Amino acid sequence: MCNLNNLDIEVLKYHKQKGCDYSKSLARALNIKLCEAFEVHKKLLELGYLEKVNSKFTKYKLNNNTKIIKHRNHTYYQLSQKGKQFLKELTS
């Protein structure tokens, strides 16, 4: 398979559920240190499981149903096709 640990997989699942988000929000949600969130985002980006969101505005899920649009003040990440495929294979 690949060299992803449990935290990496949790982050991918988080992005599948929430959509795009930034490291500080991820750290709060998963109760991890901010430096860990930065590192896992960097690792998953380099491995191709995540991609940076390029638009100036972003949509994301607030409580699984409510989507809000806001101006990006941080670097936002979302699942790439590779990340989506990995999660699909993981659950099948």
Side-chain angles (χ1 to χ4, degrees):
M1 191 130 97
C2 59
N3 57 349
L4 297 183
N5 60 36
N6 289 339
L7 178 59
D8 299 334
I9 294 169
E10 286 302 310
V11 169
L12 292 175
K13 289 178 179 178
Y14 173 84
H15 280 288
K16 181 179 181 181
Q17 179 186 13
K18 294 288 186 180
C20 63
D21 214 346
Y22 55 99
S23 297
K24 190 172 183 179
S25 180
L26 173 78
R28 277 186 299 225
L30 298 183
N31 198 26
I32 60 174
K33 294 179 183 176
L34 183 57
C35 61
E36 289 178 283
F38 283 131
E39 294 212 2
V40 73
H41 269 154
K42 180 180 176 187
K43 175 183 176 180
L44 293 172
L45 181 67
E46 289 173 354
L47 291 173
Y49 292 98
L50 292 179
E51 58 191 18
K52 288 184 181 180
V53 176
N54 292 321
S55 65
K56 291 185 181 192
F57 293 91
T58 189
K59 290 185 234 181
Y60 66 99
K61 298 176 187 175
L62 202 52
N63 58 8
N64 293 339
N65 295 327
T66 309
K67 290 187 180 181
I68 62 173
I69 300 173
K70 66 176 273 186
H71 189 270
R72 290 190 317 127
N73 295 322
H74 308 279
T75 302
Y76 281 74
Y77 300 90
Q78 65 186 6
L79 284 176
S80 66
Q81 280 305 118
K82 182 177 179 180
K84 290 175 187 174
Q85 185 63 36
F86 174 80
L87 288 175
K88 185 177 179 181
E89 290 171 7
L90 189 67
T91 57
S92 53

